């Protein structure tokens, strides 16, 4: 079982076997990673995309996220997200997409969740037609 402080390093290690990882490589490793047992109360998975200016510049974000909810001994909840974030210049086509899709929506049935994400038009368009300007894999508290 992985501890929260180990998850980012573990996922980065999984992805590092690719010299120049594609979106599909990262997606497939991310799917495998979500099957790993992590010491938390409630894990969830999120697919999210849209144009945001979190970086100070408007970019199209295409994110695979694993969220960890854990209650500490002092009853304080902690929510951390481990994010695989692809960034793109926001083309006119990409600007039309804005999606937030949680595994909660499917009672955490991950196989169905992944199948539904892969069926999304934006997923197909991005993996087939776009090259990201950046990939970031990071974990933070939310």
């Amino acid at each position: 079982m992985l501890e929260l402080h180990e998850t980012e390093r573990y996922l980065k290690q999984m992805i590092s076997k690719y010299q120049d990882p594609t979106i599909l490589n990262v997606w497939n490793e991310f799917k495998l990673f979500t099957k790993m047992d992590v010491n938390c109360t409630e894990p969830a998975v999120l697919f999210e995309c849209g144009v945001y200016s979190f970086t100070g510049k408007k970019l199209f974000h295409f994110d695979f996220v694993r969220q960890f909810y854990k209650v500490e001994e002092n009853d304080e909840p902690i929510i951390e997200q481990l994010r695989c974030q692809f960034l793109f210049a926001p083309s006119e086509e990409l600007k039309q997409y804005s999606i937030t899709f949680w595994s909660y929506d499917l009672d955490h049935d991950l196989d169905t969740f992944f199948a539904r994400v892969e069926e999304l038009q934006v997923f197909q368009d991005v993996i087939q037609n776009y090259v990201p300007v950046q990939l970031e894999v990071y974990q933070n508290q939310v």
Side-chain angles (χ1 to χ4, degrees), residues 41-62:
T41 310
E42 182 179 351
V45 181
L46 165 68
F47 170 74
E48 181 174 47
C49 68
V51 176
Y52 308 108
S53 56
F54 300 134
T55 62
K57 182 178 176 183
K58 282 191 174 189
L59 296 168
F60 181 75
H61 293 239
F62 190 79

Side-chain angles (χ1 to χ4, degrees), residues 30-140:
F30 179 78
K31 289 191 310 184
L32 290 172
F33 175 74
T34 63
K35 308 287 185 184
M36 302 287 302
D37 197 18
V38 175
N39 185 12
C40 67
T41 310
E42 182 179 351
V45 181
L46 165 68
F47 170 74
E48 181 174 47
C49 68
V51 176
Y52 308 108
S53 56
F54 300 134
T55 62
K57 182 178 176 183
K58 282 191 174 189
L59 296 168
F60 181 75
H61 293 239
F62 190 79
D63 298 356
F64 316 139
V65 182
R66 187 163 181 200
Q67 180 168 282
F68 309 104
Y69 177 85
K70 186 175 183 178
V71 178
E72 291 292 307
E73 290 178 12
N74 61 2
D75 291 332
E76 287 293 319
I78 292 176
I79 300 174
E80 292 193 17
Q81 290 183 338
L82 177 53
R83 188 172 290 269
C84 296
Q85 181 175 76
F86 291 93
L87 301 173
F88 301 82
S91 71
E92 287 305 312
E93 181 183 24
L94 292 177
K95 286 179 183 178
Q96 71 180 323
Y97 296 116
S98 180
I99 296 171
T100 301
F101 181 45
W102 284 96
S103 60
Y104 295 119
D105 299 333
L106 299 168
D107 294 324
H108 300 289
D109 177 347
L110 292 182
D111 291 333
T112 302
F113 173 83
F114 293 132
R116 294 247 180 107
V117 169
E118 291 168 0
E119 291 169 355
L120 292 170
Q121 187 64 47
V122 65
F123 188 87
Q124 293 301 315
D125 285 348
V126 168
I127 65 168
Q128 293 174 18
N129 302 316
Y130 289 90
V131 176
V133 294
Q134 186 174 346
L135 164 62
E136 293 183 9
V137 178
Y138 64 94
Q139 186 165 325
N140 64 332

